[in-house]
Amino acid sequence: MKPRYPHTLSSGDQNTVIALSETEVAKIFTSDTRSDIGSEAEKMKFANAVNNLVVGFIRLDELNEDTEILVMERLFPMDFRAYEFEKRELLLDVFEDELHTLHSAGFVHRDLRRPSDMPGERFDNIFLTSKGLRLIDVGISALKHQVGERLFSRFVEQEMKELEIFRAFFLSR
């Protein structure tokens, strides 16, 4: 059983995210976590250098002796159903442009839509914020220079299929 942390915002398959302040959250990495904090930080910093679509990296730190944390900007998700269809179309157009820019730079998120056997909502990693649509959780993201052209292209192709499903979901509500 996973430990329960104070100020928990969410808990996924491998990590828990806690609130540190009104401006920062931390993704917790314990010694038994399979994901790699350094790799995730590198991918986040790469994406942040391209545009602001991915949640902002702040720093790597420690919570205690056994627990490392990836500190990120705190996002406050909003319910997109409060916005008119035309405004959602505009938000989605900007999101798609920023996603294509990331792809062109060599970054693919790879987790727009959760697999059907994963807990949570289908599009938990896409937040509507006061600054537009944003992406969180780059744990399984890929950088082209690390995975090569063929694999990267396959990941982008899959992400574009997920984007079409998200488009239909986002606009049909």
Side-chain angles (χ1 to χ4, degrees):
M1 179 177 220
K2 280 186 175 181
R4 184 77 161 153
Y5 294 95
H7 310 291
T8 294
L9 293 171
S10 66
S11 191
D13 190 37
Q14 295 184 29
N15 304 89
T16 296
V17 175
I18 60 171
L20 296 178
S21 69
E22 286 296 308
T23 59
E24 295 181 343
V25 299
K27 186 172 186 179
I28 297 173
F29 291 78
T30 57
S31 57
D32 63 350
T33 300
R34 290 182 286 153
S35 53
D36 176 29
I37 191 171
S39 174
E40 191 158 345
E42 179 185 354
K43 292 180 280 191
M44 191 177 288
K45 288 190 275 187
F46 181 95
N48 291 166
V50 175
N51 61 29
N52 293 319
L53 187 58
V54 171
V55 63
F57 170 83
I58 296 178
R59 68 183 177 280
L60 295 176
D61 209 336
E62 291 182 337
L63 192 61
N64 57 46
E65 287 180 9
D66 302 321
T67 308
E68 299 165 338
I69 56 175
L70 171 63
V71 181
M72 303 166 279
E73 74 175 300
R74 186 169 183 178
L75 300 178
F76 292 90
M78 301 169 3
D79 190 338
F80 63 90
R81 294 172 296 179
Y83 293 92
E84 299 86 353
F85 180 84
E86 294 80 9
K87 181 148 186 172
R88 284 184 278 145
E89 274 186 315
L90 179 60
L91 289 164
L92 193 55
D93 287 345
V94 171
F95 177 75
E96 289 177 357
D97 286 347
E98 290 177 338
L99 192 62
H100 288 299
T101 300
L102 285 173
H103 292 164
S104 295
F107 174 93
V108 62
H109 187 268
R110 294 194 60 220
D111 203 12
L112 297 183
R113 183 174 189 232
R114 291 194 181 281
S116 59
D117 62 343
M118 294 288 290
E121 297 297 322
R122 287 185 292 179
F123 298 104
D124 271 353
N125 291 334
I126 304 173
F127 282 11
L128 175 59
T129 72
S130 61
K131 296 180 180 179
L133 290 165
R134 304 284 302 279
L135 289 173
I136 62 166
D137 195 358
V138 298
I140 67 166
S141 297
L143 300 176
K144 185 185 209 176
H145 73 269
Q146 291 178 335
V147 299
E149 181 70 42
R150 269 181 77 188
L151 200 52
F152 184 80
S153 293
R154 192 175 89 206
F155 292 156
V156 169
E157 184 179 322
Q158 178 60 39
E159 187 154 283
M160 296 313 295
K161 290 176 185 173
E162 292 175 4
L163 181 59
E164 283 308 308
I165 297 166
F166 176 68
R167 172 178 270 288
F169 169 78
F170 191 72
L171 294 177
S172 69
R173 302 293 295 219

